[in-house]
Each structure stands twice: as structure tokens, then as C-alpha cells.
Amino acid sequence: MGTGRQHKHRNLIISLSMLTIVLAGSQGCSVKEDRSYCPSLLIVNTEEISQSISPHVIHIWGDRGFHLYDKIIPEEYPHEWTAEVKRSMNTLTAVCGLDKTEIEDRCVTIHRGQESDRLWAHHSLVDCSGEYGYDTLRLHKQYCVLTIDMLDYPEDATDWSKFSAIPEIQGSCSGYRLDEGSPLHGDFLANARYVGNGMFQIILPRQEPDDDLLLRVMQDGVSIGSVDIGIVLKMAGFDWKKEDLDDAFIIIRNSNSIDMGGGGDNTMKVAAWQFGSFGTPGW
């Protein structure tokens, strides 16, 4: 029942009030009882996330409708978090980075018109059939920050709303399935944000590698050019199956002829990108 080791701290932020099921027999079993009905103690190593100050939401699903929920601050659990769970195979999911998105029906759902949150997630199937089950929280990057450099955009522009040409991205996945650790299929559609110097950014959720990922340049609500950047990214070596997604930098030389270029050298280029930094476009 989310019985993590608690440490005394004035700023302790933890909620144990949202458990959806109260386990029977949580007081444990004596050695004389049939222990097959006793709970298993799940021990989760948290050392790899112990420096994080962001809230982490933990969900555990087991058989016959068992569900446990907890919300923790990792720095309060520098070594481990524990919980009593049903003796079975249990699915453990932990996520952090939730801001605008919500958890609905075991899914992190991105609504139409929204970009993704900077979502990190852990997913594993843990054998808790004995007295103890063990796992280690390792969260992986589930988003891609796509930067779009429109070379024909006014570099001195400070407010993108003053200009009519805006990149729009449409994809086939609009969230993350907590119970499966996979992309949630659904229509993703959002505008990129203007960040200055002729550049736009948008945070994309993990996509399926063979699905279309369309970039449209919209002007007054009408598309003046489009290209499947899924193909462009794949040709550049981008991998949607990578455990920790990379970020990407796309350069558009002429937004008015993007559909004619088809991602060719004269229209679009994916720049080299080092994880966590912009790198140098070199074009």
C-alpha cells in the first residue's frame, strides 16, 4: 500500500491517499499460515533518480484488477521505495515531467492542439510471485524537441504572431500507454512555437517509425507547403525506437516550396544534433 521508507524532512511532498484498492492481509502473515495469500514486498531501487526534485507518479497493475498508485519526490527516497503488492507478475510504470498532459485510462493523453510534455518513463514487468520482488527505476526520454529553422523567416522577428507562416506538425501518436510502455495511437496536431531568430520549436511525443509525420507551413489557416518529415528524419538516422529519444534540428530553406523539394538538398536538411544540445547546423 505504498509503504515507502519515509525520511524526516520539512519539505516532504508525498501523497499516499490515492490508492485505488486496499490490500487485504497487509499486516503480513505468520510462518504457520498459508503464505500464498500473503502480499509480496516490492523493493524498487531509486538511486538512479535520487537527485531529481520533480514529482514521480508510480502505477502498479497486477492480476484481478489490482492497482496501486503513489506520487513521490525521489530525493526523499535516495535508495529505495517499497510497497506491498499481490503475489503475481506486476506491471510497474513510473513517469515524470507531466505538466499539461493528463493520465486517462492508463494513458498519458495529449489533446489536439497541444504539444507533448517533456515526459520520462519507466516500464517493467516484475515477478512478485514470492515474498519479495525487485526492480530498479530507470526513466527514459519519451519526447523529441524538434527545432525548425526557417531561413526565409525574418531573423529580427520577436513575436511570431505578427507573421502568418507557422509550421504545423501532424503525427499518428498522441501520448504514451502506461500499461504497455508504448506510444498511444491517436491524432497528434499542434503548431510549433516561435523561439526567435527565425526558429520554431515543438515537443513531439514518441511516434511509430513507419507512420507519416507531416510538417505543414500554414498561412492564414491554409497549407502553403508540406512534407513528410518522418522520411527526412529516418534518412538522417533518427530512430523512434531508441530507448532515449534524440532531439532534431530541421532547416527549411524556402517554406513556400517545401512540398516541391520533397526533402531534397535544396529545401530541407536535418542537422547533426548532440543529445541535450543544439549542436552546429553546418549548412
Side-chain angles (χ1 to χ4, degrees):
M1 296 177 59
T3 56
R5 296 184 179 178
Q6 298 188 12
H7 299 264
K8 293 182 179 179
H9 195 290
R10 284 178 294 178
N11 297 320
L12 178 64
I13 305 175
I14 182 168
S15 172
L16 298 176
S17 62
M18 299 184 69
L19 301 185
T20 57
I21 291 182
V22 178
L23 290 177
S26 61
Q27 300 301 316
C29 301
S30 71
V31 294
K32 296 181 179 180
E33 294 180 82
D34 180 0
R35 301 183 66 80
S36 62
Y37 294 98
C38 300
S40 175
L41 182 64
L42 174 60
I43 302 172
V44 180
N45 186 310
T46 58
E47 292 180 356
E48 294 189 20
I49 64 166
S50 61
Q51 301 303 311
S52 174
I53 61 174
S54 299
H56 285 53
V57 178
I58 296 176
H59 285 269
I60 300 173
W61 285 281
D63 60 2
R64 295 187 295 276
F66 170 75
H67 177 214
L68 184 149
Y69 165 98
D70 203 355
K71 185 176 182 180
I72 69 171
I73 298 296
E75 66 177 357
E76 303 297 339
Y77 295 84
H79 302 295
E80 64 184 39
W81 173 89
T82 63
E84 289 183 344
V85 299
K86 291 183 71 70
R87 287 202 180 200
S88 64
M89 299 298 294
N90 287 279
T91 297
L92 171 65
T93 294
V95 294
C96 75
L98 295 177
D99 182 19
K100 298 177 182 178
T101 51
E102 301 175 351
I103 296 178
E104 303 172 353
D105 298 326
R106 301 191 180 191
C107 298
V108 176
T109 303
I110 304 168
H111 296 294
R112 190 180 179 91
Q114 282 185 339
E115 62 180 343
S116 174
D117 282 335
R118 296 173 184 266
L119 181 71
W120 293 76
H122 168 91
H123 179 272
S124 61
L125 186 62
V126 187
D127 184 358
C128 300
S129 56
E131 291 192 28
Y132 300 96
Y134 300 93
D135 196 17
T136 298
L137 282 189
R138 294 186 176 95
L139 276 76
H140 297 287
K141 186 171 177 278
Q142 305 296 322
Y143 65 92
C144 164
V145 178
L146 175 66
T147 301
I148 305 163
D149 187 356
M150 298 176 66
L151 295 185
D152 57 344
Y153 217 77
E155 290 192 4
D156 59 348
T158 57
D159 184 1
W160 66 265
S161 64
K162 296 178 181 178
F163 302 90
S164 56
I166 301 173
E168 175 189 83
I169 303 293
Q170 182 173 15
S172 62
C173 295
S174 59
Y176 178 81
R177 292 189 61 93
L178 296 174
D179 53 350
E180 295 183 2
S182 61
L184 173 66
H185 288 271
D187 188 28
F188 174 83
L189 183 67
N191 290 338
R193 295 169 282 104
Y194 185 64
V195 294
N197 297 322
M199 295 187 186
F200 290 79
Q201 274 189 354
I202 184 171
I203 304 174
L204 303 176
R206 187 180 292 272
Q207 301 289 306
E208 294 290 358
D210 296 326
D211 290 350
D212 293 343
L213 184 64
L214 299 180
L215 185 154
R216 300 186 187 93
V217 178
M218 305 297 293
Q219 190 169 39
D220 298 325
V222 178
S223 173
I224 60 173
S226 65
V227 68
D228 184 355
I229 61 172
I231 296 175
V232 178
L233 290 171
K234 187 174 182 179
M235 291 175 61
F238 188 91
D239 183 7
W240 287 108
K241 292 292 187 181
K242 190 174 180 180
E243 205 167 35
D244 290 289
L245 286 178
D246 289 322
D247 296 323
F249 192 116
I250 287 181
I251 300 171
I252 300 175
R253 187 183 293 277
N254 186 351
S255 60
N256 289 313
S257 62
I258 184 173
D259 54 341
M260 297 174 62
D265 292 338
N266 294 326
T267 301
M268 180 176 292
K269 181 177 180 180
V270 179
W273 188 284
Q274 297 297 321
F275 178 74
S277 64
F278 281 83
T280 303
W283 192 25

Coordinates of all heavy atoms in Angstrom, one line a residue, residues 4-16 71-78:
G4 N 6.4 3.2 1.4 CA 7.8 3.5 1.2 C 8.5 4.0 2.5 O 7.8 4.4 3.4
R5 N 9.8 3.8 2.6 CA 10.5 4.3 3.7 C 10.5 5.8 3.7 O 10.8 6.5 2.8 CB 12.0 3.8 3.7 CG 12.2 2.3 3.7 CD 13.7 2.0 3.7 NE 13.9 0.6 3.8 CZ 15.0 0.0 3.8 NH1 16.1 0.8 3.8 NH2 15.2 -1.3 3.9
Q6 N 10.0 6.3 4.8 CA 9.8 7.8 4.9 C 11.0 8.4 5.7 O 11.4 7.9 6.7 CB 8.5 8.2 5.5 CG 7.3 7.7 4.7 CD 6.0 8.2 5.3 OE1 6.0 9.1 6.1 NE2 4.9 7.7 4.8
H7 N 11.5 9.5 5.2 CA 12.6 10.2 5.9 C 12.1 11.5 6.4 O 11.3 12.2 5.7 CB 13.8 10.4 4.9 CG 14.3 9.1 4.4 ND1 15.4 8.5 4.9 CD2 13.9 8.3 3.3 CE1 15.7 7.4 4.2 NE2 14.8 7.3 3.3
K8 N 12.5 11.9 7.6 CA 12.0 13.2 8.1 C 12.6 14.3 7.3 O 13.8 14.5 7.2 CB 12.5 13.3 9.6 CG 11.8 12.2 10.5 CD 12.2 12.4 11.9 CE 11.5 11.3 12.8 NZ 11.9 11.4 14.2
H9 N 11.7 15.2 6.9 CA 12.2 16.3 6.1 C 11.0 17.3 6.1 O 9.9 17.0 5.9 CB 12.4 15.9 4.6 CG 13.2 16.9 3.8 ND1 12.6 18.1 3.4 CD2 14.4 16.8 3.3 CE1 13.5 18.7 2.7 NE2 14.6 18.0 2.7
R10 N 11.4 18.6 6.3 CA 10.3 19.6 6.4 C 9.6 19.8 5.1 O 8.4 20.2 5.1 CB 10.9 20.9 6.9 CG 11.3 20.9 8.4 CD 11.9 22.2 8.8 NE 13.2 22.4 8.1 CZ 14.0 23.5 8.3 NH1 13.6 24.5 9.0 NH2 15.2 23.5 7.7
N11 N 10.2 19.5 4.0 CA 9.6 19.7 2.7 C 9.1 18.5 2.0 O 9.1 18.4 0.8 CB 10.6 20.5 1.8 CG 11.0 21.8 2.3 OD1 10.1 22.5 2.8 ND2 12.2 22.2 2.2
L12 N 8.8 17.5 2.9 CA 8.4 16.2 2.3 C 7.1 16.4 1.5 O 6.1 16.9 2.0 CB 8.2 15.2 3.4 CG 7.7 13.8 3.0 CD1 8.7 13.1 2.2 CD2 7.4 12.9 4.2
I13 N 7.1 15.9 0.3 CA 5.9 16.0 -0.6 C 5.6 14.6 -1.1 O 6.3 14.1 -2.0 CB 6.2 17.0 -1.8 CG1 6.6 18.3 -1.3 CG2 4.9 17.1 -2.6 CD1 7.0 19.3 -2.4
I14 N 4.6 14.1 -0.5 CA 4.2 12.7 -0.9 C 2.8 12.5 -0.6 O 2.3 12.9 0.4 CB 5.1 11.6 -0.2 CG1 4.7 10.2 -0.6 CG2 5.0 11.7 1.3 CD1 5.7 9.2 -0.2
S15 N 2.1 11.8 -1.5 CA 0.7 11.6 -1.4 C 0.5 10.1 -1.4 O 0.8 9.4 -2.4 CB -0.1 12.2 -2.5 OG -1.4 11.8 -2.5
L16 N -0.1 9.5 -0.4 CA -0.5 8.1 -0.3 C -2.0 8.0 -0.3 O -2.5 6.9 0.0 CB 0.2 7.5 0.9 CG 1.7 7.5 1.0 CD1 2.1 6.9 2.3 CD2 2.3 6.7 -0.1
K71 N 2.7 8.9 -5.5 CA 3.4 10.0 -6.0 C 4.5 10.4 -5.1 O 4.2 10.7 -3.9 CB 2.4 11.2 -6.2 CG 3.0 12.4 -6.9 CD 1.9 13.5 -7.1 CE 2.4 14.7 -7.9 NZ 1.4 15.7 -8.1
I72 N 5.7 10.4 -5.6 CA 6.8 10.6 -4.7 C 7.8 11.7 -5.2 O 7.8 12.0 -6.4 CB 7.6 9.3 -4.5 CG1 8.3 8.9 -5.8 CG2 6.7 8.2 -3.9 CD1 9.3 7.7 -5.6
I73 N 8.6 12.2 -4.3 CA 9.7 13.1 -4.7 C 10.9 12.2 -4.5 O 11.3 11.8 -3.4 CB 9.8 14.3 -3.8 CG1 8.5 15.2 -4.0 CG2 11.0 15.1 -4.1 CD1 8.4 15.8 -5.3
P74 N 11.7 11.9 -5.6 CA 12.8 11.0 -5.5 C 13.8 11.3 -4.4 O 14.4 10.4 -3.8 CB 13.4 11.0 -6.9 CG 12.2 11.3 -7.7 CD 11.4 12.3 -6.9
E75 N 14.1 12.6 -4.2 CA 15.1 12.9 -3.2 C 14.8 12.5 -1.8 O 15.6 12.4 -0.9 CB 15.4 14.4 -3.2 CG 14.3 15.3 -2.8 CD 14.7 16.8 -2.8 OE1 15.8 17.1 -3.0 OE2 13.8 17.6 -2.4
E76 N 13.5 12.2 -1.6 CA 13.1 11.7 -0.3 C 13.3 10.2 -0.2 O 13.1 9.6 0.9 CB 11.6 12.0 0.0 CG 11.2 13.5 -0.1 CD 12.0 14.3 1.0 OE1 12.4 13.7 2.0 OE2 12.1 15.5 0.8
Y77 N 13.6 9.6 -1.3 CA 13.8 8.1 -1.4 C 15.2 7.9 -2.1 O 15.2 7.4 -3.2 CB 12.7 7.4 -2.1 CG 11.4 7.5 -1.4 CD1 10.6 8.6 -1.5 CD2 11.0 6.5 -0.5 CE1 9.4 8.7 -0.8 CE2 9.8 6.6 0.2 CZ 9.0 7.7 0.0 OH 7.8 7.8 0.7
P78 N 16.3 8.2 -1.4 CA 17.6 8.2 -2.1 C 18.0 6.8 -2.4 O 18.9 6.6 -3.3 CB 18.5 8.8 -1.1 CG 17.9 8.6 0.2 CD 16.4 8.7 0.0

